[in-house]
Amino acid sequence: MYFALTARFSRCIMAAAAVLIAQAVALTPVAAESAYVAQSQAGDRLPIHAVPVANGLSAALTAARPAVTAPRLAPEASITGIRNFAQTIQIGNYNQVAQIQNGANNLSNIGVIAGNSNNVGVLQAGNNLRSNLVLLNTQGLSVGVIQPNGSAPINVLIARLPNGGLLIKR
């Protein structure tokens, strides 16, 4: 009987410990790693520590590290005065989107929603150009938007309708 009570008590303790551990794990904050790869800054040097010399002496060499500098922008974002913006949302498979902007203050938005195997290209060559293009439930379309300097804004919706028809709304 003593053994049965001890075994039952041990199981109760183990169950209580398992519940406490599960609660502690559930309350532990979880953080994902960054999706970005850290790159070294221009001018950074790695420290060199004690290097043994042939005669048994050691020389402590440390390369000078520059003072902490302000974070640098990526090369494509470092040109001042040019504020181009391109964004894409793709929901589907095998879609290809290319957005090329030459000039200043251009804006391009492309959405491929529930589409498959579409090819979309936007070329903006000028200043202050705007384009918004949405492909909805399409398959196998190739759409190109070319905007030279001084073009009017382009707002286009291309959708495959339930009856199989194609709606192109400007």
Side-chain angles (χ1 to χ4, degrees):
M1 173 126 173
Y2 173 75
F3 180 73
L5 288 176
T6 305
R8 186 178 299 168
F9 184 70
S10 296
R11 280 183 273 171
C12 289
I13 297 255
M14 293 300 279
V19 168
L20 288 175
I21 291 172
Q23 287 177 348
V25 169
L27 295 177
T28 304
V30 178
E33 292 182 9
S34 173
Y36 299 102
V37 177
Q39 298 180 358
S40 63
Q41 300 293 325
D44 275 357
R45 298 180 199 146
L46 296 174
I48 301 172
H49 298 288
V51 177
V53 180
N55 63 5
L57 300 173
S58 65
L61 302 174
T62 305
R65 285 192 73 105
V68 176
T69 58
R72 292 177 35 176
L73 295 174
E76 63 272 12
S78 63
I79 300 172
T80 58
I82 298 176
R83 294 181 184 94
N84 291 329
F85 183 75
Q87 69 181 11
T88 302
I89 182 170
Q90 295 185 55
I91 302 172
N93 297 314
Y94 310 111
N95 296 303
Q96 297 180 7
V97 174
Q99 298 186 55
I100 302 167
Q101 297 174 326
N102 182 24
N105 202 24
N106 296 323
L107 173 67
S108 174
N109 296 308
I110 296 176
V112 180
I113 302 170
N116 296 312
S117 303
N118 295 297
N119 297 311
V120 181
V122 173
L123 172 62
Q124 294 177 322
N127 299 321
N128 302 313
L129 300 172
R130 303 286 182 261
S131 68
N132 296 298
L133 176 65
V134 176
L135 276 64
L136 182 61
N137 199 27
T138 58
Q139 184 172 1
L141 290 182
S142 293
V143 179
V145 175
I146 300 173
Q147 286 184 288
N149 200 17
S151 310
I154 295 177
N155 295 305
V156 178
L157 167 68
I158 301 173
R160 180 70 61 189
L161 300 174
N163 65 3
L166 193 62
L167 170 69
I168 300 174
K169 180 71 177 163
R170 287 194 60 168

